Structures are given as C-alpha cells and as structure tokens.
C-alpha cells in the first residue's frame, strides 16, 4: 500500500443523498483495508443549502478535511454546486457529475437565470470530465431514485479498489428491497 | 470489531461501554446525534430535557443516586446549564458524570463561537479533548473513570469537525461490576449551603492542582519527538491538521486541555528550539504557557476567529518561514459568479405564511432561534432581532417599554414550540406580570425541527419513542395569566392577517399559537400531504405575486431566454398542497390538481 492519500469530494444540494453516498464510499475503503476519514457539515445545510462531504483514504489519514487544491475526484450531484467547488480539486483532478440542475432561490424567483454552459466550462478546466445522465440510467436500472448509485459506479471505476468491496458496502448500506436495483445501477455506472 | 463512526456515534458508544445508566440532553448542532445514538443502547435511560439546565440537573441526580450519567449540549447550552455546573464542581459526584460540550468554530450552525475551554477553567473542572472518533470513544470511557477517581464532573469537548467526521473505531465490551445505584445520603457534601461550600472550595483547588500534576503521566498527554527545531503544542482536530501540514514537527498532544500538565509542558519546551501552540478560537493554552514564563507563538500567526484548517495552518507557518506556502489552485479563467444557495424553509412549512403576513403588516419582529429564523431571509424578510433561545419574549417586552404607544403596536415576538418551552416561558411570565402590550406568536409545529426533528414536551412523545403527555400550550399560557390567546391556522392568510392585526392593536399581552405540524415529521397521522396545486398557464398573467412567499416548489419560468415575461410553475413533487400560494393569486390561476 502506498503512502498516498486519495481525496474525494461529494458536492450537491441538501436532501440529495450525499451523506449516504459518502458513507458507502467510506465503508468500501474500510472493507478494502484502508484507513478512512470523512467529514461534512450538517445543520443549516439540510434545508436545501449547498453541501460538501469530504472522504479521504490511504494507509494513514490525519485531517478529516481535504486541503484546498488537493482533491483527486469531484463527485457532483448537481451542476452549479459542482462548479462552485472546483477550486478544491488538483489541476489533474477528475470531475464526475450528474446532469442535473436544481434552481437556487434567486433562479426560482426569476431574479437571475440558471447559469448556462456549466458543463463545457468545467470540461475546459478539467479535461478528465464525465457528465452522466444519472436519472435516465437509473430509470433503466429500475428506479430513477438510484441515480446516485449510477454515479457511484462511475466514480468507483477510477479508484483502485476491487469490485467485491463496493458490492459488499452496498449490501450493508442499502435497504434489502432496493438492493437489486442499486446493484444494477452501480454496474451500469461502472461500465461508463 | 471495527466500525466507521462519527465522533458523536463514538461518544455514544463510549458511554455505553462505560456502563452509563442515564443520558440526558437538549439538542443543538453539532451535539445532537450523541443522544440520538445513545438511545439505541437499551441499557441507558435516554431523554430530551426541555433545556440544558434541566438536562444537567437530571444527570446530576442520576450521579448522586450512584448511576453513571452523561449530559450533552452545544457550546451555548453551557450558558444555560452554567448555574448547576459551577456548584456541581464543589459537590463532586457519586457515580461518574460526563458533560459533553460541542463547540462550533466557524459558526457552521450557531449564533456565536464561544470557546468552551474557558468554562472548564471558570468552573474548575477537568476537560478532555479527543482528536478523532477512536479517541471520542476512549476519552468518554476515561472521563467516567476520572470523574469517580477525582470526585469531579468531567467535561469532554468536541468541535463540529470531530462530532461530524467519521473514522475507524475499535469496539470493546462494556465494563462490568459497577456498584448498583441506591440512595446515598451525604448532606455535608451535597447540600451547598455557605458553611458546607466553604469546606468544599479548598478541595476543588487541591483537585485541580493534583490533576495538573498527574497530567504529566497521563497517557492521553503525549510527547511525540521528531525534529526538535519546531515544537507544537496542540489538541483536538488541530492535532490531525498539524500532522498533515508539518509531518516532521515534534508535538505535545494534549488529551486533557484543562488543567494543563505544567511539568510536561516545561519538559517539552526545553527539548525544542521554538515553541508554538496550534489551537482553535481563544489563546487558551497559549496564555497559560506565557503565564508560566515560557515564550511561545500562537495567535500572533493564527486567527482567534473561525476554525483552523490545514491551509490556514500552513499559511500561518509559511508567514514566518517555517513551512512552504500552500499551492493555491489558480483558476484558469475567473469563474463566473454563481448564484448562492442559502437554506430555505421547506415547501409546506407552516412558518411561511406567518412571516409573509408579518412582512405585510410591517411588524417589528423580535425573533428567536429555530427554522423560523429563516424568516429573516428575503423575500419574507420579517425578522428584526435574534439573540439567543427564548430571547424573543423578553426583547419584545423590553422594546415596548421604550417606544411610543403607536410603535408598540408593531412589536411582535416570534418563537417556536421547543424554544418557548426551553426558556421562552419565563419571558411570558414577565410579559404578563409586568403588563407589556406586545404580542407573542408561538409557532407550534409539534417538533424541534431546526436540529433535525427531535421530540419535545409539546410533541407528545419521548426520545425513547414512548407516547407521553403533550403540553397544552394554550392552557399553559392561560395559567401564566395571558387573557387573549388565539389559535390559528397559519395556512389561512386572511385569518392570520386579521387576528394578527387585532392582537397587535390590543394594548395588552396576547399570544397567538399556530397549530400545523412540520412537514418533516415522519410519525404517522401527523403531517399529511394535501392535494398538489398547479398553475393554469392560460390564466397566469405572470404577475409574480406567488413568488413573494419564497416557496421552493414555485418556479418562475421566463417565456424565452432573457425574457422579462413568463409564468409561474409548481413542481408537483415538491408541493405539499398547503395552499398558501393560491391565496396570493388574484387571477385564480393556482388551483388544486385533479
Ligand atoms: C442554548 C441553545 N441550545 C440549543 C440550540 C440549538 N437550537 C437552535 S434552534 C433549536 C430549537 C428549534 O425548535 P423550535 O423552537 O421548535 O423551532 P423549529 O425549528 O421547530 O421551527 C435548537 C435546539 C441553541 N441555538 N441554543
């Protein structure tokens, strides 16, 4: 095992299931024998605010938060929130983002428009970029609500952790009745 | 067995392993999940108290009765519980008593960032500070032991980054063979009359000196000698940041932050060339080291305000040439300014219509703390003050004491059910007793919503999910002496406005209580989604009146790119059918869907 720490950031909107996804990631890394730390801020963020969760793994992890500019993977649940946190990434970092726009209050109120062309802007800055239609693939897997799991599958492909650990973590963290669909969604994402 | 636990889950586990019998708390971020996890251990009697003072008093009683007791709260909770805490320091304990205090540097969800370590010094009790989840568990166990060994309550300090970070924890079996609780009479120790207290105070001073001396050999205070050029004294999450940023530095890691182990600090200072303290918030350790006559650098390079992060620590040490400056990612092009995404009241929240009406009536709102504090945000923009829990009531009375009788009519206090029972009720007694003309609105949504839906004495259930007496708020207000009590449906804007106007005009104390539940309550039969509303595209004139309530389910959709014209749209998945928006539509364009 190398001394290297891998840093993953999960960003999106409160209520999108970011915490569960980051728990599944952490569980996977622990099962694979790594030291893991994860951190996020709950509280006010629950009411539709912006949310960031940090997950770090390696031989020995000290800080639970990823130092700015050290992120290896930005796992985005929403486009605008993904743009907001790009500075957390290394220049050669990867961005994997769900093709989803959730309007913030000022857009709902018609004061400003939801920014255009975010995906292209991100791709220009971070060539290692994957835009995933999570809802569509999850619907194919059997339930549009498994979109996060499709994305998780896509993230998993970039990490050096065997598939069995991911599946074991899913089995532990996902309720039994939703497991089959989530397993399918995960495999679909992993094939992207 | 290993598990990934948050600091809060690990503290709960530590209490269980320590044979804790009673756990009592009032919720508050970032401490809330401790009790929400303790309740899963059937061996522990867990409960929510109406406020932190009561929570600590329940724990004190349990300890006096010989059962190990845990009490948890957020930093500002200690202000409320300070009265029993300071004298508990004199009585000491029978069985171990641990008070967990969760600080919130950076104020991620708090109204101030007071540093609780000052309370340890002020109340003359020891304080432990863990730096990861494993230590959260181990230090909780140890805190119970130290409490009994030194006959003192023990404070355990966490911070948001410790409470809400997860790391790997090794689980152990609970201790066995603790004495059975029973009534223990020891009046000279437990009745703090002046004569008895005078005997106790010198013992408190001896205890703290002994702890300071013993601290030098406690395993939780640890010397880590590496390069002797830099010596850093640190604790809590800052220890982790220092390991990350300055991997070759020598460290004195303090597990006990009060009292400080003076001998160990002298020994460490003598071994290193330059001495630094890395601590969040106040220069608590730094000032004490300086008072020992040792020169040390701390707040001179790191801020007292906000939390520390790896970057901030690296920048601080770079500023004096001890570390390289962090590589800041330079954006290729300046990123487009993105609209912010602040938190908002949920669709269907019963608070929304009340704030809309208060705004319309140009009320002067003395506010309070809860989800309804979001009534401050535009477009509702109907809150003028917010200081601490319960303060809305006293402040409303106070304002009416000084302004003209015309302006008095504008003054309305607004408070949630949990906050009212926490410390608002005393304010209401004063409002009646001293005949303030102010109006108080109690937003009773049957839950403590802000901190994540905890039950309270007005919700009818306990933390252990047992049905319980539900306080009758109108009857309570009546008992206090309020003559004008109106219960309203906050989804009915006409009624809300009419009654508010009547009570605001009345030159006597009055209370208005809303009685619709929080939409997040999962318990069956409490909140039920109504018939979803929809906008008729043909009838909508695009007047934007419905946007004035800031409901996340209503979206303005422009006709084309950049067009000023457009129509409202209601998201059927988010809408709960509360029907407030349709009352704002003069054109009858918002209707119940079929
Ligand atoms: C002394 C103190 N304890 C705890 C908190 C944390 N806290 C903030 S608001 C709140 C309760 C809110 O409940 P309620 O008044 O019922 O309003 P709701 O959020 O349900 O609208 C709590 C516990 C605090 N800010 N101060």
């Amino acid at each position: 095992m190398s001394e290297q720490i891998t840093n993953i950031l999960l960003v999106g909107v409160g209520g999108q299931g970011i915490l569960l996804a980051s728990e599944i990631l952490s569980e996977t890394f622990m099962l694979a024998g790594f030291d893991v730390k994860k951190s996020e801020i709950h509280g006010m963020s629950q009411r539709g605010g912006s949310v960031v969760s940090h997950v770090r793994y390696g031989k020995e992890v000290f800080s639970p938060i990823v130092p700015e500019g050290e992120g290896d993977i930005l796992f985005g649940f929403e486009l605008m929130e993904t743009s907001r946190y790009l500075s957390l990434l290394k220049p050669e970092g990867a961005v994997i983002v769900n093709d989803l726009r959730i309007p913030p209050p000022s857009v709902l109120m018609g004061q400003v428009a939801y920014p255009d062309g975010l995906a292209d802007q991100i791709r220009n800055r971070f060539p290692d970029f994957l835009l995933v239609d999570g809802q569509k693939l999850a619907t194919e897997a059997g339930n549009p609500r498994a979109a996060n799991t499709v994305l998780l599958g896509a993230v998993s492909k970039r990490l050096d952790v065997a598939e069995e650990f991911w599946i074991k973590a899913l089995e532990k963290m996902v309720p039994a009745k939703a497991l089959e669909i989530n397993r399918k969604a995960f495999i679909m994402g992993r094939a992207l | 067995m290993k598990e990934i636990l948050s600091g809060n889950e690990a503290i709960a586990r530590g209490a269980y392993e320590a044979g804790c019998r009673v756990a009592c708390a009032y919720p508050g971020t970032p401490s809330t999940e401790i009790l929400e996890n303790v309740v899963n251990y059937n061996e522990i009697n867990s409960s929510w108290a109406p406020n932190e003072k009561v929570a600590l008093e329940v724990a004190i009683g349990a300890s006096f009765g010989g059962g190990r007791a845990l009490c948890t709260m957020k930093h500002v909770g200690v202000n409320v519980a300070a009265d029993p805490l300071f004298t508990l320091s004199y009585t000491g304990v029978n069985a171990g008593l641990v008070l967990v205090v969760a600080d919130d540097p950076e104020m991620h969800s708090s109204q101030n960032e007071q540093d609780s370590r000052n309370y340890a010094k002020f109340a003359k009790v020891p304080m432990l500070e863990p730096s990861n989840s494993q230590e959260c568990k181990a230090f909780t166990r140890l805190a119970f032991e130290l409490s009994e060994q030194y006959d003192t309550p023990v404070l355990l300090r966490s911070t948001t980054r410790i409470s809400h970070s997860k790391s790997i924890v090794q689980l152990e079996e609970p201790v066995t063979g603790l004495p059975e609780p029973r009534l223990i009479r020891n009046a000279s120790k437990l009745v703090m009359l002046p004569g008895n207290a005078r005997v106790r105070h010198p013992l408190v001073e001896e205890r703290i000196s002994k702890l300071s001396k013993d601290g030098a050999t406690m395993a939780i205070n640890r010397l880590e000698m590496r390069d002797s050029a830099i010596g850093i004294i640190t604790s809590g999450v800052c220890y982790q940041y220092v390991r990350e940023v300055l991997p070759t530095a020598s460290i004195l890691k303090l597990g006990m932050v009060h009292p400080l182990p003076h001998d160990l600090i002298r020994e460490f200072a003598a071994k290193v060339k330059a001495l630094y303290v890395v601590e969040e918030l106040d220069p608590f350790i730094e000032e004490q080291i300086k008072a020992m006559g040792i020169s040390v650098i701390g707040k001179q390079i790191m801020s007292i305000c906000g939390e520390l992060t790896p970057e901030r620590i690296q920048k601080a040490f770079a500023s004096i040439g001890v570390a390289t400056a962090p590589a800041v990612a330079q954006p290729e092009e300046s990123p487009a300014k993105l609209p912010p995404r602040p938190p908002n009241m949920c669709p269907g929240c019963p608070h929304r219509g009340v704030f809309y009406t208060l705004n319309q009536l140009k009320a002067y709102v003395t506010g309070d703390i809860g989800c309804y504090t979001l009534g401050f945000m535009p477009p509702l923009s109907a809150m003028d003050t917010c200081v601490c829990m319960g303060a809305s009531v006293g402040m409303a009375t106070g304002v009416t004491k000084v302004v003209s009788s015309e302006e008095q009519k504008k003054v309305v206090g607004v408070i949630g059910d949990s906050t009212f029972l926490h410390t608002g009720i005393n304010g209401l007694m004063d409002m009646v007793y001293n005949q303030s003309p102010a109006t108080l609105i109690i937003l009773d949504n049957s839950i403590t919503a802000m901190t994540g839906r905890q039950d309270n004495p007005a919700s009818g259930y306990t933390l252990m999910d047992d049905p319980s007496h539900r306080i009758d708020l109108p009857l309570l207000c009546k008992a206090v002496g309020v003559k004008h009590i109106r219960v309203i449906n906050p989804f009915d804007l006409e009624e809300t406005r009419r009654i508010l106007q009547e009570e605001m005009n009345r030159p006597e104390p009055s209370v208005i209580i809303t009685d619709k539940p929080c939409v997040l309550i999962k318990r069956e039969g409490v909140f039920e989604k109504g018939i979803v509303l929809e906008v008729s595209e043909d009838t909508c004139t695009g007047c934007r009146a419905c946007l004035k309530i800031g409901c996340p389910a209503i979206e303005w959709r422009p006709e084309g790119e950049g067009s000023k014209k457009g129509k409202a749209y209601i998201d059927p998945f988010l809408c709960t059918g509360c029907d407030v928006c349709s009352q704002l539509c003069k054109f009858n364009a918002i209707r119940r869907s079929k």
Side-chain angles (χ1 to χ4, degrees):
Chain A
M1 218 176 270
S2 81
E3 299 280 318
Q4 204 67 43
I5 304 292
T6 305
N7 295 315
I8 304 163
L9 295 140
L10 298 88
V11 303
V13 179
Q16 277 197 289
I18 295 167
L19 302 195
L20 178 63
S22 68
E23 308 252 295
I24 297 172
L25 281 166
S26 319
E27 188 71 28
T28 305
F29 302 140
M30 184 179 80
L31 290 171
F34 292 102
D35 188 19
V36 190
K37 281 193 179 162
K38 104 173 183 122
S39 171
E40 64 252 329
I41 301 298
H42 355 147
M44 291 294 262
S45 54
Q46 279 173 332
R47 290 178 186 41
S50 157
V51 177
V52 191
S53 175
H54 304 232
V55 179
R56 318 185 72 200
Y57 73 95
K59 186 153 172 271
E60 187 176 13
V61 182
F62 294 112
S63 163
I65 51 178
V66 176
E68 196 157 334
E70 298 274 316
D72 294 289
I73 294 184
L74 186 62
F75 177 175
F77 290 62
E78 199 271 348
L79 271 165
M80 199 173 91
E81 293 316 308
T82 306
S83 302
R84 201 188 301 284
Y85 294 106
L86 289 174
S87 67
L88 296 176
L89 271 184
K90 288 178 183 158
E92 69 278 17
V95 181
I96 294 158
V97 55
N98 194 10
D99 191 2
L100 181 71
R101 290 164 188 77
I102 301 178
S106 55
V107 174
L108 289 175
M109 304 268 301
Q111 293 160 345
V112 293
Y114 190 97
D116 243 357
L118 290 178
D120 289 336
Q121 283 168 26
I122 302 172
R123 187 184 286 113
N124 286 341
R125 203 170 142 193
F126 293 94
D128 192 353
F129 174 81
L130 182 66
L131 185 66
V132 181
D133 191 340
Q135 269 67 14
K136 183 167 150 256
L137 292 171
T139 309
E140 281 170 33
N143 190 338
R145 289 167 69 180
N148 294 350
T149 314
V150 175
L151 271 285
L152 188 71
V155 169
S156 78
K157 217 177 78 178
R158 295 169 188 255
L159 297 168
D160 190 18
V161 174
E163 185 166 314
E164 58 171 311
F165 299 116
W166 294 97
I167 300 293
K168 264 196 206 149
L170 278 178
E171 283 167 356
K172 184 167 168 199
M173 313 293 293
V174 175
K177 61 177 196 293
L179 186 59
E180 238 353 273
I181 289 174
N182 276 280
R183 198 200 307 260
K184 235 169 129 183
F186 179 82
I187 302 290
M188 284 171 89
R190 206 168 156 83
L192 287 174
Chain B
M1 206 181 55
K2 282 194 306 185
E3 266 194 55
I4 299 189
L5 300 181
S6 68
N8 283 349
E9 290 166 336
I11 291 169
R13 175 75 197 188
Y16 161 71
E17 290 182 7
C20 175
R21 294 279 189 142
V22 169
C24 194
Y26 182 71
T29 314
S31 71
T32 312
E33 301 82 8
I34 302 173
L35 262 268
E36 289 178 331
N37 281 283
V38 167
V39 72
N40 297 325
Y41 300 104
N42 294 329
E43 294 79 356
I44 307 177
N45 176 304
S46 317
S47 60
W48 293 128
N51 66 33
E52 290 86 354
K53 178 175 185 289
V54 176
L56 180 56
E57 289 156 353
V58 168
I60 295 173
S63 157
F64 286 179
R68 287 188 168 183
L70 177 77
C71 179
T72 71
M73 57 192 62
K74 73 182 287 165
H75 59 337
V76 286
V78 188
N79 301 334
V80 180
D83 201 5
L85 175 65
F86 279 63
T87 304
L88 173 65
S89 172
Y90 281 32
T91 63
V93 301
N94 277 339
L97 188 150
V98 177
L99 171 55
V100 180
V101 186
D103 282 6
D104 189 15
E106 197 76 19
M107 296 172 272
H108 296 288
S109 36
S110 302
Q111 66 269 36
N112 77 25
E113 54 182 350
Q114 64 189 51
D115 184 334
S116 293
R117 294 176 301 171
N118 295 301
Y119 267 119
K121 190 155 181 281
F122 198 1
K124 303 173 192 263
V125 296
M127 177 181 260
L128 308 187
E129 185 173 32
S131 74
N132 60 22
S133 298
Q134 177 65 42
E135 286 186 357
C136 280
K137 197 202 72 157
F139 285 21
T140 304
R141 283 185 69 146
L142 176 68
F144 278 104
E145 286 161 23
L146 291 176
S147 172
E148 287 167 9
Q149 189 184 338
Y150 290 89
D151 192 8
T152 176
V154 175
L155 293 172
L156 184 91
R157 182 203 193 209
S158 171
T159 56
T160 300
R161 295 295 180 183
I162 293 296
S163 278
H164 287 174
S165 293
K166 291 202 167 190
S167 56
I168 299 173
V169 177
Q170 192 74 44
L171 306 186
E172 291 164 277
E173 288 305 312
V175 296
T176 51
L178 294 173
E180 270 308 301
R182 63 190 170 83
L183 291 178
I184 305 160
R185 292 203 165 90
N186 189 355
S188 63
K189 181 167 181 278
L190 302 185
V191 179
M192 281 302 95
L193 286 169
N196 289 338
R198 270 182 223 120
V199 177
R200 297 297 304 171
H201 186 185
L203 299 175
V204 171
E205 301 301 331
E206 271 170 40
R207 179 179 75 199
I208 216 76
S209 310
K210 181 159 169 33
L211 274 157
S212 167
K213 205 169 245 105
D214 295 355
T217 53
M218 282 183 195
I220 57 170
N221 292 329
R222 180 172 80 215
L223 279 188
E224 294 178 9
M225 291 311 296
R226 284 178 274 271
D227 181 358
S228 64
I230 313 171
I232 295 176
I233 300 180
T234 187
S235 67
V237 77
C238 293
Y239 165 77
Q240 306 292 352
Y241 299 156
V242 169
R243 290 297 311 272
E244 178 110 12
V245 172
L246 300 161
T248 59
S250 293
I251 297 178
L252 168 54
K253 180 188 181 298
L254 295 175
M256 183 167 74
V257 290
H258 187 74
L260 293 179
H262 290 201
D263 297 343
L264 199 57
I265 289 171
R266 282 212 176 81
E267 182 189 333
F268 184 62
K271 281 183 174 159
V272 295
K273 286 205 192 73
L275 191 64
Y276 305 88
V277 174
V278 177
E279 58 186 328
E280 274 172 329
L281 302 177
D282 294 343
F284 179 81
I285 297 173
E286 179 185 341
E287 282 178 353
Q288 295 184 66
I289 293 177
K290 285 181 172 159
M292 290 165 66
I294 298 172
S295 77
V296 61
I297 295 174
K299 293 299 163 186
Q300 184 186 327
I301 57 168
M302 275 164 285
S303 178
I304 290 177
C305 308
E307 66 181 351
L308 292 178
T309 61
E311 300 88 76
R312 288 177 187 171
I313 293 172
Q314 194 171 347
K315 268 187 205 142
F317 281 91
S319 75
I320 49 167
V322 174
T324 53
V328 210
Q330 284 302 327
E332 316 261 293
E333 61 221 83
S334 62
K337 225 171 121 51
L338 296 169
R341 195 185 293 277
N344 195 350
M345 288 176 195
C346 305
C349 176
H351 301 335
R352 182 172 280 108
V354 175
F355 283 98
Y356 172 77
T357 309
L358 286 165
N359 178 315
Q360 295 283 301
L361 294 175
K362 301 199 165 49
Y364 183 89
V365 178
T366 60
D368 223 302
I369 308 192
C371 283
Y372 48 92
T373 314
L374 295 171
F376 163 77
M377 312 269 280
L380 297 171
S381 311
M383 188 170 289
D384 295 283
T385 74
C386 173
V387 175
C388 70
M389 286 189 73
S392 57
V393 200
M395 289 189 299
T397 301
V399 176
T400 58
K401 281 181 192 253
V402 292
V403 299
S404 70
S405 57
E406 221 18 69
E407 283 199 322
Q408 283 176 353
K409 290 184 185 159
K410 292 283 174 209
V411 180
V412 180
V414 176
I415 191 166
D417 50 339
S418 186
T419 305
F420 177 65
L421 297 172
H422 177 275
T423 33
I425 177 75
N426 311 65
L428 188 62
M429 290 177 200
D430 178 65
M431 190 183 256
V432 174
Y433 177 46
N434 291 308
Q435 290 299 304
S436 158
T439 303
L440 180 68
I441 302 179
I442 303 176
L443 299 168
D444 179 13
N445 60 356
S446 291
I447 206 82
T448 312
M450 177 85 248
T451 40
R453 282 179 288 117
Q454 289 76 32
D455 282 300
N456 68 49
S459 75
Y461 289 86
T462 67
L463 170 60
M464 289 160 91
D465 212 26
D466 296 320
S468 180
H469 176 71
R470 183 176 172 186
I471 287 188
D472 183 329
L473 291 175
L475 197 60
L476 177 60
C477 295
K478 189 169 173 221
V480 167
V482 182
K483 291 208 188 74
H484 312 282
I485 302 162
R486 317 282 293 266
V487 177
I488 62 165
N489 171 6
F491 296 134
D492 182 337
L493 291 183
E494 195 280 320
E495 174 187 293
T496 301
R497 186 183 173 111
R498 181 172 45 82
I499 292 182
L500 230 93
Q501 187 78 75
E502 278 171 27
E503 296 309 326
M504 285 165 73
N505 284 336
R506 197 191 294 280
E508 283 177 73
S510 52
V511 172
I512 298 169
I513 303 173
T514 67
D515 71 344
K516 289 286 179 256
C518 170
V519 297
L520 298 174
I521 298 180
K522 300 240 162 70
R523 192 170 277 127
E524 222 167 294
V526 185
F527 167 75
E528 270 155 36
K529 191 166 161 146
I531 302 168
V532 169
L533 299 165
E534 59 187 19
V535 179
S536 150
E537 274 201 50
D538 302 336
T539 339
C540 177
T541 62
C543 74
R544 300 180 187 236
C546 57
L547 299 173
K548 290 196 189 127
I549 49 171
C551 176
I554 309 179
E555 182 178 353
W556 172 258
R557 291 197 165 165
E559 252 165 29
E561 189 112 358
S563 168
K564 285 259 181 304
K565 282 192 185 160
K567 290 190 194 302
Y569 166 79
I570 295 178
D571 184 329
F573 295 104
L574 294 178
C575 177
T576 67
C578 78
D579 211 14
V580 168
C581 57
S582 76
Q583 300 165 55
L584 298 175
C585 183
K586 290 198 187 84
F587 305 97
N588 222 358
I590 302 179
R591 302 208 192 120
R592 294 209 146 90
S593 61
K594 273 129 250 152

